[in-house]
Structure formats: C-alpha cells, structure tokens
Amino acid sequence: MSAPEPPVTLPGARLLFSLDPGVSYLNHGSFGAVPIGVQRAQQRLRDEIESNPLRFFAQGLSDRVIHTRRHIASFLGADPELSALVPNATTAVSLVLNSVRLESADEVLLTDHSYGAVAMAARRRCRRAGATVRTVALPMPATDAELISRVRAALRPGRTKLLIIDQLSSATAMAFPVREIVAAAHEHEIPVLVDAAHVPGMLPVDVASIRADFWVGNLHKWAFAPRGTALLSVAAGWRRKIEPLVVSWDQDQGYPHAVESQGTVDYTPWLAAPAGLFTLRTLGWEEVRAHNAALAAYGQRVVGEALEVPVAELPQPAGPDISMRIVPLPAGLATTAPEAQELRQHIADKLAVETAVNAWGGRGLLRLSAQVYNRADEYDRFAERLPQLLHDYRA
C-alpha cells in the first residue's frame, strides 16, 4: 500500500524557526524548537533583567508569574489556583513523589511505557522510603478497554500509594485513556499522577475534567515555549501537601507560590511562554495539529515501507491529532538504551537527520515527529538512505 498524500505545507512556517537548514530535524518531540519571535521575546526579558536586576526581581515579578500561570492554565483547562509553573515534567514528578507519603510496605505503580527519568525518580524515592516500584506491562498496540483492564488488575488497594500513567508516552507514542484510568484508581482511593509531557500544544486537553490528583505537561515541546516551561496541576486535596524541592522566601505562602518562587532561577522561559501560545494561535492551532499529524503519518509510512515493515506492524495512534509515529527497527538493532543512543547519533552524523531511537520491549523503535517546519521530502530522503545505513551499520 502506498503512503498517504502529505499535507500542504503551511505558508511561511519554516521561516519562523532558526533551525540549521543542513539538518532534517525530525525530532521535535525531544526538545522542541523555539520560534524566532519567542526567542526574541525571551531575550527582551533577559535584557530587562540585566538593565536593572533588583527592579526585575523585587518589583512585580510575582504578579507577572501569576498572570503567566493563569494564561497557560486557561489554555490547558486547568485551575490556575491549583497549578504551578515548574521547569519541566521531571521536576514535577519529583515534587509529587516528595509529597506522597511512602512506607516500607507501600509501592508506586508504573507502566513499561513510563519515561525513563520518571522511573528513575520513582525508584530513588522508593529506595529512600523502603518502598517498592512495580511495573505493569501493557501491549502495543492495545485498545482502551485492554489498557484500562490491565491497569485496573495491577492496582493493589492498600499498597499502591501512587499510580503514574502517561497521557501520551514518549518512547512508544501511545495515547492512554487517562480519564478512565484515573476513575478506576480512585475507586480504591489510589492517587494518580498523569505524565502529559507531550500533550500541551499537540492534543486538545481539559485538565480539570481528567480529575487526576496530579497532572503535568511541558510547554516547550509542542506549544512553542522556551525550554524550562511546564505546568503542574494538583487536586484541591493535595494543595497543602505539595512541598517545594528547595525552600525559598515564599515558603510560608504555600503552593503554588512556594514552588514557583525560587530566588534567582531563570523566569524568562515562563514569562515568554505566552508568546509561544500566540504563535500557535496565529498559525491556527487546528491547522497545525492537522498538518503535523498527517505529516507524521506520511513519514511513518514511507520510512516503514523502506524498511519493509508490514503496514499492519506500524503502530497506529489512538487519536487523529498525534504528531509522533513509531517505526519498528529490524530485529537486533537498538535493543538497549545505550545501543539506541549510539544508533541515533550514527544517523545524525551520517545522514544529517535528527530522530529519536528508543529501546522498548527488547526492540528498537524509531520515533518520527512532525512539526510545521518539516516537509514531506525530508522523510522521503530519509527513507531512501536509511536502509543502506542500517545495513552497513550491522555489518
């Protein structure tokens, strides 16, 4: 079966970015790419700081952070008074783990799709508390009903003190029915942290309706914010239990101020984030989502065909808006994290193509992202050259 037609390129979109024209950047999902206008907005904030640092930090900074938080929370359908700006999703995960009481008989439940740094943070927290981390294996692909059933069966009421579930997984680009999973866990009064690192800017979301105890999403991946911008939202019952990882002058004000106020931390990514949302809206968010999802599907198909992966074995996302797609690599390639990193770097060095390569379930997975600066011919060229590169790499 031939690849679907690629979407029409959004006029002028590529000119909004300062990416190296000599590199095909097919990995927006890892670190994003900041539009030039947002870069300039952040630089103006840096210039403002250096013109009078005392004035910037001592006069009105808190109000500006609050205003920004409200703007971002509104975009995500979250309660701004129950939300806090944080540097990234992994920081939020550590905040949550630090705030959940764990004892020796307790456990934190993950899935085998969980992000590596999240799993590491859970293991460290449990090790210090004498608790355990348990991982439930979930198939790929799977129906929503299968995912809900398997997670529900893995819960251990009385022992499971926290469930961490992805809304859209990083390594496997799978969407999870988080609203239903949260409801299943709450039947046993088990709190849930939803790791939605890839959701803001890619998927429409109403955080409040998910009813998770904790929800965190990065703005720097798909919402065009500077790196270092994420939003943590907590349920009302947890507000007084969230303790910042570092104590600063606003500690006595409690969440969210105690979390956001961190002395001389760089606040410019947060304050420039609304410029990223403005860029997204100017391009037309629905148009951006449709373009990116269609282009990712095109890239998956042409690369999959080049690697002779049957169409039935190309994982399909659960929703129409997902801008990351997976192509399984030939057996024996990138089966461990170090091997995946080595292959990713080899592809970058030899083909001038930035991709994501992950090891999952004993199989190497190539993850392709699509953003408005990408073109169909980048995936075509990659598909033409990748088979020979992999053949030589294995030789």
Side-chain angles (χ1 to χ4, degrees):
M1 184 180 295
S2 62
E5 288 295 317
V8 176
T9 301
L10 296 182
R14 191 174 181 86
L15 299 177
L16 298 176
F17 298 85
S18 53
L19 290 165
D20 183 349
V23 175
S24 290
Y25 201 80
L26 310 182
N27 190 18
H28 188 87
S30 284
F31 298 103
V34 183
I36 295 171
V38 182
Q39 295 178 41
R40 290 174 176 168
Q42 185 179 14
Q43 186 58 50
R44 286 194 293 271
L45 288 162
R46 293 192 180 109
D47 293 342
E48 179 186 346
I49 293 172
E50 299 311 323
S51 70
N52 191 328
L54 182 60
R55 181 174 59 196
F56 178 86
F57 285 100
Q59 296 181 19
L61 176 59
S62 177
D63 290 340
R64 294 171 76 173
V65 170
I66 291 170
H67 176 77
T68 300
R69 186 209 317 142
R70 288 174 176 166
H71 186 92
I72 293 173
S74 175
F75 173 71
L76 298 172
D79 185 336
E81 302 308 314
L82 296 175
S83 302
L85 293 170
V86 292
N88 49 41
T90 48
T91 298
V93 169
S94 289
L95 274 165
V96 171
L97 288 167
N98 192 53
S99 302
V100 173
R101 183 176 179 180
L102 293 174
E103 297 179 350
S104 59
D106 298 335
E107 68 175 24
V108 173
L109 181 63
L110 309 176
T111 81
D112 58 349
H113 296 258
S114 294
Y115 188 61
V118 171
M120 292 171 65
R123 288 195 294 268
R124 186 183 73 167
R125 175 71 176 94
C126 286
R127 184 169 58 248
R128 292 177 172 178
T132 59
V133 173
R134 190 162 55 87
T135 302
V136 55
L138 301 176
M140 181 183 69
T143 65
D144 284 356
E146 289 174 320
L147 295 172
I148 296 166
S149 176
R150 292 204 181 206
V151 173
R152 185 192 297 273
L155 298 172
R156 292 177 178 174
R159 290 193 60 185
T160 306
K161 300 301 181 182
L162 180 67
L163 166 65
I164 302 178
I165 190 80
D166 291 274
Q167 188 164 352
L168 179 63
S169 60
S170 177
T172 56
M174 268 182 58
F176 289 78
V178 289
R179 187 178 290 105
E180 292 82 359
I181 289 173
V182 167
H186 283 178
E187 291 174 6
H188 304 290
E189 299 183 346
I190 295 172
V192 183
L193 164 59
V194 174
D195 179 357
H198 285 274
V199 170
M202 184 198 295
L203 302 179
V205 62
D206 181 56
V207 172
S209 69
I210 296 172
R211 300 186 181 278
D213 301 87
F214 317 98
W215 184 97
V216 60
N218 287 326
L219 277 293
H220 71 262
K221 290 181 180 288
W222 299 94
F224 296 152
R227 280 167 287 279
T229 308
L231 189 83
L232 169 65
S233 178
V234 308
W238 286 95
R239 180 173 186 172
R240 294 186 178 182
K241 301 176 184 178
I242 299 294
E243 290 285 346
L245 299 175
V246 177
V247 174
S248 193
W249 284 102
D250 286 336
Q251 172 71 15
D252 292 341
Q253 292 192 43
Y255 180 90
H257 304 288
V259 169
E260 294 173 334
S261 177
Q262 294 292 312
T264 54
V265 69
D266 185 4
Y267 295 94
T268 64
W270 299 354
L271 299 181
L277 296 182
F278 176 81
T279 303
L280 190 61
R281 291 185 174 112
T282 300
L283 288 170
W285 190 29
E286 291 185 2
E287 289 80 2
V288 169
R289 295 204 319 267
H291 169 276
N292 292 350
L295 187 55
Y298 176 83
Q300 181 193 45
R301 185 65 65 85
V302 296
V303 174
E305 286 181 353
L307 297 182
E308 300 181 349
V309 180
V311 173
E313 295 181 16
L314 293 175
Q316 299 303 305
D321 297 316
I322 295 176
S323 307
M324 300 189 301
R325 295 292 186 106
I326 299 299
V327 178
L329 291 169
L333 277 177
T335 59
T336 67
E339 290 174 359
Q341 173 62 19
E342 182 180 283
L343 178 58
R344 186 207 66 77
Q345 189 61 54
H346 187 71
I347 292 171
D349 292 341
K350 298 299 183 180
L351 301 184
V353 176
E354 293 292 356
T355 63
V357 180
N358 296 294
W360 184 84
R363 184 77 183 265
L365 301 178
L366 176 70
R367 191 192 73 193
L368 298 173
S369 298
Q371 188 49 270
V372 294
Y373 51 74
N374 292 128
R375 300 186 305 264
D377 60 9
E378 294 180 285
Y379 301 90
D380 293 335
R381 289 196 303 271
F382 185 43
E384 291 173 2
R385 302 170 66 194
L386 182 61
Q388 185 63 50
L389 177 138
L390 295 181
H391 177 271
D392 295 344
Y393 185 75
R394 301 181 72 173

